[in-house]
Every structure is written in structure tokens, then in C-alpha cells.
Amino acid sequence: VEERPLTGEQKDRIAEVRRVSEARLAEREILHQSSRRKATDLEALDKLEAEYRRDRERIVSERDRKIDEARKG
């Protein structure tokens, strides 16, 4: 497998994907913390934690996929 250096355009695209992903993760963290404060029982808290983990995994997976696409050109 031959690796070529990234073009300026690819680097810009990757940086943008990372910025958007970090913003989405930060937004999700804020919403999660707010929801945690409102949770009234352990079951609701467990559900919130599971949703938060799934959302983070989805955002990270999407970020990685977009970075791979940018690298391929």
C-alpha cells in the first residue's frame, strides 16, 4: 500500500471534519450533563448513560469515516 502525502485541500477537509465532530461532542456533553441533573432515578440515569455512549460512538465513527473519505480524495 503506497501512501501519498495529503494535499492542502485534504488537510483542510480533515481539520473541518475534526472541528465539527468536536463541536458535536461538546454539545452532546452539555446536553447529557443537563439531562443527568434532571434524572430522578437510577433507571433513568442508566438509560441516559447508554444513550450518551451510543451518541458519542456514532459521532466518532462518523468522524473517522469522513476522515478516511477525505484521505482517499
Side-chain angles (χ1 to χ4, degrees):
V1 174
E2 182 182 326
E3 288 194 30
R4 297 180 312 243
L6 296 176
T7 66
E9 186 177 312
Q10 287 171 312
K11 289 178 183 179
D12 291 345
R13 177 69 182 132
I14 290 169
E16 177 65 16
V17 166
R18 286 185 173 142
R19 275 192 299 275
V20 169
S21 176
E22 289 303 314
R24 290 178 63 207
L25 287 169
E27 177 184 40
R28 188 62 190 95
E29 172 73 19
I30 291 166
L31 294 172
H32 174 67
Q33 292 300 328
S34 175
S35 295
R36 280 182 56 127
R37 285 190 285 278
K38 296 175 187 174
T40 56
D41 60 36
L42 202 51
E43 186 177 324
L45 188 58
D46 287 344
K47 182 179 175 185
L48 287 171
E49 292 296 328
E51 288 174 5
Y52 176 64
R53 276 193 306 277
R54 278 193 307 274
D55 285 348
R56 284 189 56 86
E57 289 169 2
R58 180 181 46 80
I59 292 168
V60 168
S61 175
E62 184 177 302
R63 178 201 65 202
D64 293 346
R65 180 184 53 79
K66 288 181 178 181
I67 288 173
D68 286 342
E69 288 173 3
R71 284 192 171 128
K72 292 176 184 174

